[in-house]
């Protein structure tokens, strides 16, 4: 699932978000892009749990709508 992330300003911020989300139960893979302020998360974790982990780390996050193939 793709998320938008707000509040990141440097590579250390990116690393903090990745670490926080990777520790959420059910997350198998996380990739954070500082350039696009986005994050892709794989696994069975709920969006609420992922967003809470980002917020607990001091940043903002929101689910992005999946693009429709039509």
């Amino acid at each position: 699932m793709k998320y938008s992330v707000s509040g990141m300003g440097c590579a250390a911020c990116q690393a903090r978000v990745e670490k926080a989300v990777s520790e959420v139960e059910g997350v198998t893979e996380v990739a954070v892009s500082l350039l696009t302020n986005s994050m892709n998360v794989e696994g069975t974790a709920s969006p609420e749990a992922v967003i809470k982990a980002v917020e607990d780390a001091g940043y903002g996050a929101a689910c992005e709508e999946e693009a429709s193939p039509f």
Side-chain angles (χ1 to χ4, degrees):
M1 181 165 291
K2 189 168 186 175
Y3 298 83
S4 59
V5 181
S6 59
M8 294 188 300
C10 63
C13 297
Q14 176 184 347
R16 274 196 285 286
V17 171
E18 281 186 355
K19 183 178 187 319
V21 174
S22 70
E23 294 174 353
V24 173
E25 187 174 336
V27 171
T28 56
E29 188 174 333
V30 58
V32 178
S33 171
L34 180 61
L35 186 63
T36 61
N37 288 319
S38 65
M39 171 176 68
N40 285 313
V41 179
E42 301 291 330
T44 59
S46 71
E48 294 81 12
V50 171
I51 290 170
K52 182 176 183 335
V54 174
E55 289 175 345
D56 287 350
Y59 305 93
C63 286
E64 290 188 0
E65 293 287 325
E66 293 294 323
S68 171
F70 302 107

